[in-house]
Amino acid sequence: MSTRAKETAMLEFISPEQIDALESPRILNTHHPPHLLPKDIKENKKAKIVYIYRNPKDVAVSAYHHYSKVMEMMDGNAGDLNGFKKAFPTLTCKICL
């Protein structure tokens, strides 16, 4: 099992090239629901998807903390939690289309 940080394998934060460079088997995670996953993942017959349903409010708060951490590393600001929760339903994965 890999010892890398969980955030390094989150679909929201890595490019398709970085995914391709990961050692197999790849274990990736995301805050996105299955219908927003990249088409390549959904159409790959070898891919295994484990979907864990959580309360959407919990997911939004967790995603906010992840995005805040990334924004902090980039000297940016994720804004406040209330603004993030309003925008959360409209967020999409950068490699989904």
Side-chain angles (χ1 to χ4, degrees), residues 11-87:
L11 289 177
E12 292 91 334
F13 304 131
I14 59 178
S15 69
E17 294 79 20
Q18 290 171 305
I19 292 172
D20 290 341
L22 292 173
E23 224 176 273
S24 288
R26 297 176 187 104
I27 299 174
L28 306 171
N29 59 56
T30 184
H31 283 101
H32 293 294
H35 72 276
L36 292 179
L37 290 176
K39 290 178 184 178
D40 292 349
I41 291 174
K42 293 186 288 188
E43 293 171 356
N44 183 341
K45 301 294 183 208
K46 294 181 180 180
K48 307 288 188 270
I49 298 174
V50 176
Y51 179 66
I52 299 172
Y53 181 83
R54 293 171 57 197
N55 181 318
K57 293 176 185 177
D58 294 336
V59 174
V61 171
S62 179
Y64 170 75
H65 290 292
H66 285 287
Y67 285 112
S68 294
K69 188 184 303 184
V70 169
M71 292 303 293
E72 186 178 301
M73 289 188 295
M74 296 173 19
D75 294 327
N77 184 339
D80 68 348
L81 180 58
N82 286 330
F84 186 85
K85 286 192 293 186
K86 288 177 186 171

